[in-house]
Structures are given as C-alpha cells and as structure tokens.
C-alpha cells in the first residue's frame, strides 16, 4: 500500500504541459468542464450548494463582514450564487471560485455535497512529495465522481451527501490488514467550501510556509507538475456518497484509532462522526 511513488501514468495525475499558465480562457474552460458535472445540483434552488466568490490568487472568501446570519448563508448573487454566469463574471474579474457545501444551519441535514479532500503529507526536505493515503486507496476513489486537482496536486472528489453528514470531520482510510484508521485528508460538508476548477493559487504559497528556522522540519511539497491552476481531471457526474460506497472504498468520514475489519454490508460512518 505504498504511496511513495508519483506515477505519471496514474489516473490521479493530470497530463499536461508543465509550463501552462493560468490565462483567463484556461480558467473559464476548466470552470465550464467542471460545472457541467455539477450543474443540476448548483442550479437547483432546493439544494444547499452554491458557488462562492473568493479573493484573487487566494482561498479566502471575498466578503466584508459576516456572511453567516443565524447560522445560515443567503444566496445574494454578490458573494454567493447559484447562477453560473455570475460565477463566470467573477473569473473574468480575476477572482477565484469556490463550491460552498451547505447553506443551512450546521445541525440541519440538507441536500448538499461532500468534498473528500485527498491531501499531501509533510515530507522531509530531501524527500519526494507523497499523498497521505496509499496509491491503491486513491486510485479506487478517483474517477468515480467529479474530481478537481488542486494547486499543489492534491485531489478533491465531490459527492452528493447521501450519508446525512452535518460536520466536516477528517477523512480517514482503513488499513485492511490491521483495521486501523489513518489520515487521508479532510472533508467539507457544512458551512465549508473548497476552491473549484478555474481558480488559481500559486503553489509557491505552500513552500513559503516552510519553517526557515528549522530547515530539517518536514513540510508539504507540491507535486512536480502542479502549477497552481485548479483543474477538473475527471469530468464525470457527481454521484451519491453512501455508507456502502465508503465501505467499498475503505474510507471513513471521521473516527480515530482502531476499528473492525471492513464488512461490505455495514456502514463506515454515521452522521459525520
């Protein structure tokens, strides 16, 4: 279950010219490809999912003051929108775009999305970048649903929330030999967001967090091909994330320590715990 090699032929790696720049046409093209896979969820007025305007070149929501009122978000077509044309105008203005995952109060189960954020680990200065989860776990997950590659080469798999989760706990994978849970990344479920395809954040911002006072301290490195542009590397329709699917994928939303071996007919997680 090694994850020490980044295979350029792996389906978790996008294949492109490594010197591509994030031009506005590139950004719009990536947004449009990804939007086509989630359009029915975004534009449905009854779902708790929308686009959110973010600061140019950054992950921060572009808003002044509070946007949560009574633990709810209002779609105002200024900062939050279900209209893809407004989101496109944000890109034309140089802004970044995020997917906001749950508009209603945190404890309310709604028709929203779950983003499984497959992250890279901190590695020693002389080591190659690695994912937290093993290659076989990632390759079994990626490609089943809309998958966005992040500025660093990390992965965000977007699912419909069919497990009734209301928090945003850690994502963990299950070691099939020991039954132990190990970190695989994060989840975004309620009052959370992740940058969407078409956004751009320089990958240099990752390495800039390195502790210069401790040069041997591990830090997160972007994958060699990462250039800062968020891309839709698997443009497949957004599907339901169910307990059975989590079971099949050997993943758990939340939890810690040791658990029983996976049984195909039992649930992995309940209500995001």
């Amino acid at each position: 279950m090694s994850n020490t090699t980044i295979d350029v032929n792996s389906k978790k790696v996008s294949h492109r010219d490594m010197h591509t720049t994030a031009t506005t046409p590139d950004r719009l093209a990536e947004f449009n490809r990804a939007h086509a896979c989630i359009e029915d969820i975004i534009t449905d007025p009854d779902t708790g999912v929308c686009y959110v305007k973010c600061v140019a070149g950054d992950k921060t929501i572009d808003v002044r003051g509070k946007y949560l009122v009574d633990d709810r978000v209002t779609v105002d077509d200024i900062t939050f929108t279900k209209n893809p044309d407004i989101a496109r105008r944000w890109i034309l203005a140089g802004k970044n775009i995020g997917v906001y995952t749950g508009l209603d109060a945190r404890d309310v189960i709604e028709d929203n999305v779950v983003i499984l954020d497959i992250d890279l680990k901190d590695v020693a200065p002389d080591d190659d970048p690695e994912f937290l989860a093993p290659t076989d776990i990632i390759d079994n997950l990626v490609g089943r649903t809309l998958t966005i590659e992040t500025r660093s080469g990390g992965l965000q798999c977007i699912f419909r929330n069919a497990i009734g989760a209301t928090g945003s706990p850690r994502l963990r994978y299950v070691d099939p030999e020991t039954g132990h849970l190990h970190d695989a990344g994060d989840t975004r479920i309620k009052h959370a967001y992740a940058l969407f395809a078409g956004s751009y954040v320089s990958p240099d911002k990752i390495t800039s967090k390195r502790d210069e006072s401790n040069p041997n301290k591990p830090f997160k490195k972007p994958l060699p091909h990462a250039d800062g542009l968020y891309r839709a590397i698997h443009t497949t329709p957004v599907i339901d994330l169910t307990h059975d699917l989590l079971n099949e994928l050997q993943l758990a939303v939340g939890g810690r320590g040791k658990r029983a071996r996976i049984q195909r007919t039992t649930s992995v997680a309940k209500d995001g715990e």
Side-chain angles (χ1 to χ4, degrees):
M1 296 180 63
S2 171
N3 60 350
T4 57
T5 301
I6 303 301
D7 181 0
V8 295
N9 294 314
S10 171
K11 66 180 181 179
K12 66 176 178 288
V13 172
S14 63
H15 300 276
R16 60 180 182 271
D17 179 356
M18 302 311 171
H19 302 288
T20 299
T21 57
T23 65
T24 299
D26 289 338
R27 296 182 62 203
L28 283 172
E30 289 299 331
F31 172 81
N32 288 332
R33 292 176 65 237
H35 173 71
C37 302
I38 197 174
E39 181 175 12
D40 59 332
I41 299 174
I42 289 284
T43 58
D44 185 342
D46 295 326
T47 68
V49 187
C50 70
Y51 292 128
V52 56
K53 180 171 63 175
C54 295
V55 173
D58 200 75
K59 296 182 175 183
T60 309
I61 293 179
D62 189 1
V63 65
R64 292 183 179 179
K66 295 174 61 177
Y67 59 85
L68 277 175
V69 178
D70 295 329
D71 204 27
R72 288 176 172 81
V73 167
T74 299
V75 176
D76 56 8
D77 288 336
I78 298 173
T79 305
F80 300 88
T81 189
K82 283 178 165 288
N83 185 335
D85 288 333
I86 292 175
R88 292 184 183 100
R89 289 201 291 269
W90 292 342
I91 292 176
L92 289 171
K95 303 295 184 179
N96 279 340
I97 305 294
V99 172
Y100 202 84
T101 57
L103 300 171
D104 215 330
R106 296 176 196 274
D107 59 350
V108 173
I109 297 174
E110 60 183 326
D111 186 359
N112 67 328
V113 294
V114 174
I115 300 176
L116 303 185
D117 190 349
I118 312 300
D119 209 354
L120 298 164
K121 65 167 63 174
D122 290 346
V123 294
D126 294 332
D127 289 346
D128 293 329
E130 295 181 32
F131 284 92
L132 285 166
T135 300
D136 54 348
I137 295 287
I138 296 172
D139 281 347
N140 193 28
L141 166 65
V142 173
R144 291 175 180 256
T145 190
L146 173 60
T147 302
I148 309 299
E149 184 180 64
T150 73
R151 55 149 175 191
S152 63
L155 303 166
Q156 293 172 341
C157 303
I158 304 177
F159 292 88
R160 205 154 192 157
N161 183 7
I163 59 174
T166 57
S168 291
R170 294 288 294 173
L171 176 66
R172 305 188 189 279
Y173 71 89
V174 185
D175 187 315
E177 301 300 324
T178 67
H180 282 99
L181 295 176
H182 303 281
D183 264 348
D186 293 306
T187 67
R188 318 286 173 83
I189 302 174
K190 292 289 292 189
H191 289 320
Y193 66 100
L195 288 187
F196 195 59
S199 294
Y200 175 83
V201 180
S202 171
D204 292 341
K205 288 193 174 185
I206 300 173
T207 54
S208 66
K209 297 178 182 178
R210 184 176 178 183
D211 186 355
E212 298 297 339
S213 66
N214 185 1
N216 295 320
K217 184 178 179 179
F219 67 103
K220 186 184 296 185
K221 292 182 179 180
L223 297 185
H225 65 274
D227 62 4
L229 181 60
Y230 285 68
R231 288 179 169 85
I233 62 169
H234 291 285
T235 50
T236 54
V238 172
I239 65 171
D240 288 351
L241 182 67
T242 64
H243 294 302
D244 285 343
L245 181 56
L246 281 170
N247 225 14
E248 178 187 343
L249 296 171
Q250 298 181 326
L251 291 172
V253 174
R256 63 180 60 189
K258 188 173 181 179
R259 50 171 285 117
R261 289 175 182 267
I262 295 177
Q263 301 295 322
R264 297 296 185 202
T265 58
T266 58
S267 297
V268 172
K270 293 182 179 179
D271 297 330
E273 296 180 352

